[in-house]
Amino acid sequence: MKIPGPDHPITITPSKERVRVTFNGKVVADSSRALVLQESTYKPVFYIPREDAQMGMFAKTTNSTHCPYKGDASYYTIKVDGREAENAIWSYETPFPAMKEITGHLAFYPNRVDAIETAPA
C-alpha cells in the first residue's frame, strides 16, 4: 500500500456539477453527489454513489485490478436493451484507508459509455 504524497498526489473533492452517464439511450447514473478524484497527472475521474446508479443494469464480472494507492478494483458490465459494455465500470469496494471516501462509488470508462455529461448542480 502506497500513501499519496508530493510525488503522487491524489485529491478527492465533491463535484460542483451534476453528473449524468448514458448508455444505449438510457441514463445509467445521475448524481449531484459525485466525487472528483484527481490522481497525479491523470485526467480527473467522477465517482458516483451506487444509490445514484441503475445497479440493476450492471453485472459484476470476474475482472479485477490492483492500484497501490487505492486498492483492488472490481468491474461491472453494463447491459441495456441487448447492448453490453464489458468491464465499463469499476469500483473500489474496500479501498485503502487514504481513499475511504470512494467506498460505495462507481467510476465509468468514458470510451465504453455513450456520454458522461456535466451540468450545473
Side-chain angles (χ1 to χ4, degrees):
M1 173 176 33
K2 293 186 177 182
I3 305 297
D7 60 324
H8 194 94
I10 300 176
T11 59
I12 301 170
T13 56
S15 175
K16 295 180 172 110
E17 300 173 299
R18 179 179 178 180
V19 180
R20 180 178 288 163
V21 181
T22 56
F23 179 75
N24 202 27
K26 303 274 186 187
V27 175
V28 296
D30 188 351
S31 182
S32 56
R33 303 178 304 139
L35 300 174
V36 180
L37 186 144
Q38 176 65 58
E39 180 174 359
S40 190
T41 59
Y42 304 125
K43 288 185 175 187
V45 175
F46 290 110
Y47 279 79
I48 297 173
R50 288 174 185 249
E51 298 82 22
D52 296 342
Q54 299 298 320
M55 295 301 293
M57 296 179 176
F58 312 152
K60 193 169 186 177
T61 71
T62 58
N63 194 43
S64 66
T65 56
H66 178 77
C67 170
Y69 294 94
K70 295 185 285 293
D72 295 321
S74 299
Y75 288 79
Y76 294 82
T77 293
I78 304 173
K79 299 179 180 186
V80 176
D81 296 336
R83 185 172 165 220
E84 293 186 10
E86 189 173 352
N87 295 315
I89 304 165
W90 75 93
S91 178
Y92 291 92
E93 295 175 6
T94 53
F96 291 145
M99 300 288 110
K100 68 180 183 288
E101 294 99 325
I102 62 173
T103 303
H105 288 67
L106 306 167
F108 295 78
Y109 282 106
N111 63 338
R112 296 186 189 170
V113 295
D114 296 342
I116 299 175
E117 301 170 324
T118 59

